[in-house]
Amino acid sequence: CFRVFFCFDCNSEIKDFKTQNLSSPLHRGCTDILCCILFILALLGYFAVGIIAWSQGDPRKVIYPTDSRGQFCGQAGTPLEKKPLLFYFNILKCASPLVLLELQCPTTQLCVESCPDRHLTLVKAKLGSKEDREYFQQYCKDGVDFAKLVRIDIFLLFTFYTSRQVAMRIFEDYTHSWHWILLGVVIAMVVSLIFIVLLRYLAGIMVWVMIVLVILVLGYGIFHCYMEFASLKGEPGSDVTIRDLGLQTDFSVYLQIRQTWLAFMIILAIVEVVIILLLIFLRKKIMIAIALIKEASRAIGYVMSSLFYPLLTFALLAVVIAYWAITAVFLSTSNEQVYKVFNNSDCEYSRETCDPKTFNTSNISAQCPDAECLFAFYGGETLYHKYLILFQFYNVFLFFWCANFVTALGQVTLSGAFASYYWAFKKPDDIPAYPIFSSLGRALRYHTGSLAFGSLILSMVQVIRVILEYLDHKLKDAQNKCAKFLLSCMKCCFWCLEKCIKFLNRNAYIMIAIYGKSFCPSARDAFFLLMRNIVRVAVLDKVTDFLLFLGKLLIVGIVGRGAFIFRPKMSAAPSLNYYWVPILTLVVASYLIAHGFFSVYAMCVDTLFLCFLEDLERNDGSAERPYFMSQNLLSLLKKSNEEAKTVD
């Protein structure tokens, strides 16, 4: 929080949610001001890095392939406009270890209009027809007369860009099936919204319906996989294993072998058994969790605008991701062209910097006849290029910090709105008129520094994890088993640390929304509050999260099954290469949409749960200290106490 964020009165009094009907007000002031100032300065530095990158970078280096002279293939307005593809003279040289050092294959590369479609040696080309000579002339370097060549060599060896073709086919599928995908996304939103509305009025029934439907959907999936597995018996090629088949660009090929359906059937069966066992062992706790979901449904019913707040979070995250991606592209393309000497024989000038314009008249070409001055990589010797790696690191770090800040802002806003519902003694009369907007204003006005502090801690751990992944990628071929073991242990430890920090931050933000304290005291209070009620945490909070996760699976299953049913119509679209592209896209999109809606529910449950624990510790239900919880939560308290005694 800082004056830039409209905190003109850091000592203003705002009544606490717990006491807004009583006489004692809460002195809510700006928290973690130093961290807020640091965050603002970091953002200003981030904007400065972006401006520098945009002034120095050239995104054409990413969009267009580059030949041996550093020219862009296929760029509009250049002599190479009609030559969008890159041709390698000898692709086998790309397997040389020099590629890892120089980031460039030591062979000539040309921009061509199309890849060669015939195989021919130079000798046969010279002795062949005029048409063959004219055809292969386009694959010679500029200035080389094909008719005067006397050296016998294998001329044609070209590379086939499978990944590029797959990417282009997938892009074409999106262009032909985007309306189906859009329709599926709308259906996923409608299904999610209907599910949330039904939870509002029929929470208990909907939870049990959700559990039964998840089991039935998984059972149907097992049955369908078995029928496909049985139908392929005796079919030619159906007994081929996935390992023998290898990597195929057309994933529909895998559906023609029995092993694929057997693997699907085993996976679904394991998931089915695990869910059924969990439901059996948690049957008593589920009844208690349902009561908490009912209370969360009432809270969301009074704060309906909370269901649409994830759209704001999504929009802000989209801005953060877009800014990071654009800055990263400009930073990675802000280097200059560096040319070096490449040769096949011994040469004292090998790998030295050269100038392609003067190379043919220099001493290097005279002493090393087979040497060539080829484009090596993008680099530079200026001050900017020396610190370019630091700019890239800063871009990654600020991306994590900003993304985590946006997430934290959403959590504090939602928890503040739901806390205003809980601590309203007379519901709904004491609930603010616009709880979401009021909570968002308080978060930005008073607690920007606390949000920046919590997101900074999480970002540090995430950056360390990125560095460890980078080291693991670089050392994957290393023979030192001890180093691999230590690196794996560090990755595991920091993964666990990130999960713990996320859990602690989430509860700390709830306490910030309730009491208005700074980050560290809020995190401490939340941690010890949960530890004092660890049994209730296991009984209520986690079981509720499990039930909400089943709701996400149900929505994904409904949308995914609907997409599979309409697969023939989607496949009938013109030039649709892979029918699984729109189906997989819809499955992922439906999960994200369901997660967005259910994340509001999860935040509501966590907030009400902490408020519930605070209410228990500070009040006793007497006339002087009445509970703020509803009658349903009072019954929940009795059941929870019974569960705690059973566990003890």
Side-chain angles (χ1 to χ4, degrees):
C1 173
F2 196 56
R3 294 186 182 274
V4 176
F5 289 92
F6 312 106
C7 184
F8 300 108
D9 185 7
C10 289
N11 294 319
S12 62
E13 294 184 353
I14 297 180
K15 291 185 178 180
D16 187 16
F17 295 125
K18 298 193 302 91
T19 57
Q20 60 182 1
N21 293 307
L22 304 178
S23 58
S24 57
L26 168 72
H27 295 272
R28 186 183 292 267
C30 297
T31 57
D32 297 306
I33 299 178
L34 292 179
C35 196
C36 177
I37 297 174
L38 178 63
F39 183 59
I40 294 174
L41 294 177
L43 288 179
L44 294 177
Y46 198 19
F47 294 147
V49 169
I51 294 174
I52 295 175
W54 299 340
S55 62
Q56 299 289 330
D58 188 356
R60 295 177 303 172
K61 299 173 184 177
V62 176
I63 300 174
Y64 303 101
T66 309
D67 66 2
S68 297
R69 297 184 177 181
Q71 302 177 101
F72 302 119
C73 301
Q75 182 183 359
T78 66
L80 302 178
E81 180 179 0
K82 296 183 179 180
K83 298 181 178 181
L85 303 177
L86 190 63
F87 173 76
Y88 290 82
F89 268 33
N90 189 352
I91 193 65
L92 295 179
K93 291 186 177 181
C94 294
S96 171
L98 293 175
V99 176
L100 299 177
L101 299 176
E102 305 291 346
L103 300 178
Q104 177 74 2
C105 292
T107 184
T108 303
Q109 302 161 40
L110 294 178
C111 296
V112 296
E113 186 174 350
S114 61
C115 293
D117 57 5
R118 64 186 76 172
H119 299 268
L120 198 65
T121 63
L122 181 61
V123 175
K124 292 182 180 180
K126 287 178 64 65
L127 300 178
S129 63
K130 181 180 179 182
E131 179 184 357
D132 290 335
R133 290 195 296 270
E134 292 178 351
Y135 176 79
F136 284 102
Q137 179 67 48
Q138 61 179 317
Y139 300 106
C140 291
K141 294 190 297 184
D142 293 339
V144 175
D145 189 354
F146 182 78
K148 296 181 180 180
L149 291 176
V150 296
R151 183 167 60 93
I152 300 176
D153 196 3
I154 300 296
F155 176 76
L156 182 58
L157 183 55
F158 62 93
T159 182
F160 184 73
Y161 292 100
T162 304
S163 59
R164 177 185 176 90
Q165 289 188 352
V166 171
M168 293 300 296
R169 290 177 180 176
I170 292 176
F171 180 77
E172 291 176 358
D173 290 344
Y174 279 126
T175 60
H176 292 131
S177 62
W178 65 268
H179 53 285
W180 288 104
I181 297 176
L182 182 60
L183 178 62
V185 169
V186 173
I187 293 175
M189 294 183 64
V190 172
V191 172
S192 300
L193 187 58
I194 292 175
F195 200 90
I196 295 296
V197 173
L198 290 177
L199 275 179
R200 166 68 178 89
Y201 298 101
L202 304 170
I205 298 176
M206 285 301 299
V207 169
W208 286 112
V209 169
M210 175 182 64
I211 293 174
V212 173
L213 287 179
V214 168
I215 296 176
L216 291 179
V217 169
L218 290 175
Y220 174 79
I222 296 173
F223 174 75
H224 179 77
C225 292
Y226 173 77
M227 296 301 297
E228 292 288 344
F229 175 78
S231 64
L232 291 175
K233 185 177 181 179
E235 293 292 331
S238 61
D239 293 328
V240 178
T241 63
I242 297 177
R243 174 179 292 184
D244 295 336
L245 191 61
L247 180 62
Q248 301 292 327
T249 57
D250 187 1
F251 292 97
S252 62
V253 176
Y254 294 103
L255 301 180
Q256 307 302 320
I257 60 178
R258 304 184 72 201
Q259 193 180 71
T260 301
W261 294 106
L262 179 62
F264 287 160
M265 184 170 57
I266 293 175
I267 293 173
L268 291 177
I270 293 175
V271 174
E272 179 93 326
V273 172
V274 170
I275 291 178
I276 292 176
L277 290 177
L278 287 175
L279 291 174
I280 292 174
F281 288 107
L282 299 175
R283 61 187 184 277
K284 294 183 179 179
K285 300 176 178 63
I286 289 176
M287 298 301 298
I288 303 175
I290 289 176
L292 188 58
I293 292 179
K294 289 181 178 179
E295 191 66 22
S297 300
R298 294 188 183 92
I300 293 177
Y302 289 118
V303 193
M304 287 298 293
S305 58
S306 61
L307 292 176
F308 302 98
Y309 185 83
L311 297 177
L312 176 60
T313 300
F314 176 79
L316 293 177
L317 286 176
V319 172
V320 172
I321 295 173
Y323 185 87
W324 163 77
I326 295 174
T327 304
V329 169
F330 276 88
L331 283 175
S332 62
T333 59
S334 59
N335 290 311
E336 300 173 352
Q337 298 171 353
V338 176
Y339 297 86
K340 289 196 173 184
V341 177
F342 290 90
N343 60 290
N344 296 322
S345 59
D346 293 335
C347 179
E348 59 178 325
Y349 300 102
S350 178
R351 307 300 180 266
E352 289 188 2
T353 305
C354 60
D355 186 355
K357 297 180 180 179
T358 60
F359 181 77
N360 293 331
T361 59
S362 63
N363 295 330
I364 301 178
S365 59
Q367 297 182 19
C368 306
D370 64 337
E372 295 180 286
C373 183
L374 302 179
F375 168 74
F377 54 86
Y378 288 101
E381 301 296 333
T382 65
L383 184 64
Y384 168 77
H385 293 101
K386 290 181 179 179
Y387 292 98
L388 183 59
I389 186 65
L390 295 180
F391 292 153
Q392 293 172 337
F393 176 82
Y394 189 79
N395 183 38
V396 173
F397 180 75
L398 262 294
F399 163 72
F400 282 116
W401 196 358
C402 293
N404 291 326
F405 179 85
V406 171
T407 303
L409 178 62
Q411 292 175 346
V412 169
T413 301
L414 291 175
S415 59
F418 295 133
S420 66
Y421 162 82
Y422 185 93
W423 298 113
F425 194 76
K426 296 180 180 179
K427 300 177 179 63
D429 297 336
D430 293 336
I431 301 176
Y434 303 100
I436 286 291
F437 293 103
S438 300
S439 181
L440 178 61
R442 284 193 302 270
L444 291 176
R445 182 178 181 183
Y446 296 106
H447 306 304
T448 300
S450 298
L451 303 183
F453 191 11
S455 56
L456 174 62
I457 298 174
L458 181 59
S459 301
M460 290 180 177
V461 177
Q462 291 173 334
V463 169
I464 293 176
R465 287 195 62 200
V466 170
I467 295 175
L468 292 177
E469 291 291 342
Y470 174 79
L471 293 177
D472 185 40
H473 178 73
K474 289 294 184 181
L475 300 176
K476 63 180 180 180
D477 296 329
Q479 302 299 323
N480 193 331
K481 302 296 182 181
C482 182
K484 289 184 177 180
F485 174 76
L486 292 177
L487 189 59
S488 299
C489 290
M490 292 180 64
K491 289 170 58 179
C492 180
C493 291
F494 278 96
W495 178 85
C496 295
L497 180 60
E498 180 182 356
K499 296 300 179 183
C500 293
I501 291 177
K502 284 184 176 180
F503 175 78
L504 186 63
N505 282 6
R506 184 182 181 91
N507 291 281
Y509 295 146
I510 295 175
M511 300 299 284
I512 290 173
I514 297 174
Y515 290 106
K517 297 181 181 179
S518 57
F519 177 80
C520 290
S522 299
R524 178 196 61 208
D525 295 342
F527 177 77
F528 287 112
L529 178 62
L530 294 174
M531 290 301 102
R532 291 193 298 269
N533 299 271
I534 190 63
V535 175
R536 291 193 177 99
V537 172
V539 171
L540 298 178
D541 196 47
K542 297 309 170 187
V543 176
T544 306
D545 290 342
F546 172 68
L547 294 178
L548 294 179
F549 175 72
L550 291 183
K552 299 177 189 177
L553 289 183
L554 178 61
I555 293 175
V556 171
I558 293 174
V559 176
R561 179 55 184 166
F564 195 81
I565 292 176
F566 285 93
R567 177 188 58 174
K569 293 185 177 181
M570 289 189 291
S571 299
S575 303
L576 193 61
N577 300 292
Y578 308 120
Y579 72 86
W580 53 264
V581 170
I583 294 178
L584 184 60
T585 303
L586 279 178
V587 168
V588 175
S590 61
Y591 179 81
L592 294 177
I593 292 172
H595 178 74
F597 281 100
F598 279 93
S599 64
V600 176
Y601 246 95
M603 199 68 209
C604 182
V605 169
D606 291 343
T607 302
L608 296 182
F609 183 66
L610 278 183
C611 294
F612 171 70
L613 298 179
E614 280 286 299
D615 198 7
L616 289 178
E617 291 193 353
R618 297 181 177 274
N619 302 304
D620 56 9
S622 63
E624 294 77 15
R625 297 169 58 189
Y627 287 127
F628 283 80
M629 68 184 73
S630 63
Q631 293 297 323
N632 292 327
L633 284 182
L634 278 175
S635 61
L636 177 64
L637 168 62
K638 296 178 181 179
K639 293 181 180 180
S640 179
N641 289 333
E642 294 175 359
E643 291 290 333
K645 293 178 180 179
T646 302
V647 174
D648 293 338

